[in-house]
Amino acid sequence: MSKILVTGGAGYIGSHTSLALLQAGFEVVVLDNLSNSSAEALRRVAQITGRAPSFVQADVRDGAMLKEVFAQHPIDTVLHFAGLKAVGESVAQPLRYVDNNVHGSQVLLQAMADAGVFKLVFSSSATVYGEPAQMPIAESCPVGRPTNPYGRSKLMVEDMLRDLAAADQRWRMAILRYFNPVGAHETGLLGEDPRGTPNNLVPYMAQVVVGRLPELAVYGNDYPTADGTGVRDYIHVVDLAEGHLRALQALHFRSGAHVWNLGTGQGYSVLDMIRAFEVASGRPVPYRIAPRRPGDIAICYADPTKARLELDWVARRGLPEMMSDTWRWQHMNPAGYG
Ligand code: NAD
Ligand code: UD1
């Protein structure tokens, strides 16, 4: 039986997607260097599904190792999550982001071509739209100039994929532009476990509520939005994982490189998020208004129509579920995977 290779499969989105793949009956090989994750996530995946993915601890930049993996396993498709994602870090260490995200993808693509594997699902980001020209953002909206080196690394990989698909018709590629993934698996066993102080709103808020951090800084209340705080399209990570399975199916009868937004189409402000988390946790979220964060945009939410029509996929989980699943994960695992 053919298998799916999941790079970065021990990470936040990769672990939830590996779980969904196993539950759908796929054979899964995870390749991860554990630079931002723990093998415990894969043990939890096995605990929930009753099936363990094969695990290779390796770096996607290691072409010789990839060659071995493709020789050992009958891999049909690659889901490529492996990469670095911290915006601030990318500003301080831009070359590291080019090396890991862009060069890493190049090495992987070469190894795939050498092994005759031409189906790929790539984790891109709404950040490639830069300062969006229209709202909601459809895939037809031109990509902009991302506000940071992390975002530019995603756009460089997207361009590399489009060039490759144009040069060789054997490639079948899904470029998935995620909006803001949040939430956790409903069991509370899998979730987001950021190293150090979280950069993103929801994990930060969750750590404030359990007392690991003193208070949340709300970055700006003078944006042109209903309550002045930034608006984003938060999407449950399990909905996102399901989107990958639909993209995988869509590649059976589509060649070339295709882009799909994975978002809900619904925007929530930072204050909406605080209130929803207070309801889910039954606890207050102490916060103060702080200056805007450089590089932030006011509003960003998806037009998810293309994914609905072409992938038959819609996000089904609403904000209360996103927040209660985050809270269950945080509550059951106050120190993450430990
Ligand atoms: P994550 O850090 O939890 O997962 C990434 C995984 O890749 C980690 O397990 C890490 O150890 C591994 N990894 C990193 N570099 C590697 C390398 N060179 N070789 C092998 N493994 C490597 O992040 P995530 O939130 O699960 O994100 C997954 C992907 O989705 C990333 O490519 C990210 O840029 C993209 N993305 C994430 C978000 C988000 O908000 N989480 C939004 C848009 C796009
Ligand atoms: C950020 C990244 C983006 C990346 C995405 C997912 C930036 C500029 N953008 O998006 O490139 O793809 O994460 O990893 O970093 N907020 C607060 N207080 C906080 C944290 C956030 O008020 O402590 C606000 C932000 O101003 C924003 C919203 O919450 O309005 C969401 O922020 P965040 O979770 O960091 O995601 P993005 O900024 O959308």
Side-chain angles (χ1 to χ4, degrees):
M1 189 192 179
S2 65
K3 299 185 183 183
I4 312 283
L5 175 65
V6 183
T7 76
Y12 172 46
I13 306 168
S15 60
H16 286 83
T17 306
S18 296
L19 184 149
L21 287 166
L22 289 165
Q23 284 180 330
F26 290 98
E27 297 285 327
V28 176
V29 180
V30 167
L31 182 142
D32 198 303
N33 65 3
L34 302 182
S35 60
N36 195 40
S37 53
S38 158
E40 176 61 18
L42 297 175
R43 282 190 282 278
R44 304 271 181 102
V45 167
Q47 184 184 342
I48 297 166
T49 60
R51 295 176 60 211
S54 307
F55 176 53
V56 183
Q57 185 171 348
D59 196 296
V60 279
R61 291 165 294 183
D62 184 344
M65 176 60 93
L66 287 175
K67 187 176 176 186
E68 218 170 284
V69 170
F70 284 113
Q72 277 175 5
H73 301 275
I75 288 164
D76 166 72
T77 307
V78 178
L79 267 57
H80 181 33
F81 296 94
L84 302 177
K85 62 163 185 178
V87 170
E89 186 183 74
S90 79
V91 174
Q93 303 171 35
L95 291 181
R96 219 179 127 212
Y97 274 68
V98 175
D99 185 39
N100 219 299
N101 295 2
V102 184
H103 177 62
S105 300
Q106 179 197 353
V107 173
L108 174 68
L109 290 162
Q110 186 63 59
M112 287 176 68
D114 292 346
V117 177
F118 291 100
K119 251 192 274 169
L120 176 79
V121 180
F122 174 62
S123 302
S124 189
S125 165
T127 193
V128 301
Y129 293 111
E131 190 88 48
Q134 65 192 58
M135 206 57 64
I137 311 175
E139 294 83 349
S140 54
C141 187
V143 291
R145 177 155 172 83
T147 53
N148 54 72
Y150 160 72
R152 288 192 278 278
S153 77
K154 288 285 160 191
L155 190 50
M156 283 185 231
V157 176
E158 279 203 9
D159 283 336
M160 183 158 71
L161 298 181
R162 281 185 280 267
D163 288 342
L164 200 51
D168 185 336
Q169 295 188 349
R170 287 174 296 176
W171 285 99
R172 292 162 181 257
M173 298 167 170
I175 296 170
L176 303 181
R177 293 182 181 153
Y178 312 155
F179 282 68
N180 289 58
V182 298
H185 192 257
E186 61 183 5
T187 55
L189 291 172
L190 271 191
E192 185 171 12
D193 181 20
R195 299 221 165 149
T197 307
N199 300 304
N200 298 115
L201 175 65
V202 171
Y204 200 103
M205 200 159 62
Q207 292 196 10
V208 167
V209 170
V210 291
R212 278 173 72 179
L213 293 166
E215 65 177 2
L216 174 73
V218 173
Y219 295 140
N221 66 349
D222 57 353
Y223 284 106
T225 61
D227 63 24
T229 65
V231 168
R232 295 291 184 275
D233 185 336
Y234 297 93
I235 174 170
H236 197 296
V237 66
V238 176
D239 279 324
L240 198 61
E242 288 170 0
H244 288 73
L245 269 70
R246 296 302 174 92
L248 207 63
Q249 288 164 356
L251 292 183
H252 285 313
F253 48 88
R254 265 192 185 78
S255 59
H258 302 270
V259 175
W260 287 288
N261 283 340
L262 295 184
T264 66
Q266 167 81 52
Y268 289 107
S269 73
V270 178
L271 296 182
D272 290 335
M273 297 300 285
I274 291 174
R275 279 190 289 270
F277 201 74
E278 288 182 334
V279 170
S281 65
R283 299 188 188 185
V285 178
Y287 72 89
R288 71 184 158 84
I289 304 297
R292 290 182 180 194
R293 181 171 64 177
D296 272 359
I297 56 177
I299 306 178
C300 176
Y301 60 95
D303 176 348
T305 308
K306 189 167 183 269
R308 177 166 55 78
L309 296 178
E310 295 181 358
L311 304 181
D312 191 24
W313 172 89
V314 287
R316 293 183 290 123
R317 295 163 178 82
L319 188 57
E321 205 169 341
M322 297 182 211
M323 296 295 90
S324 55
D325 288 339
T326 301
W327 174 240
R328 187 177 306 107
W329 155 255
Q330 183 68 55
H331 197 57
M332 284 172 61
N333 308 271
Y337 291 115

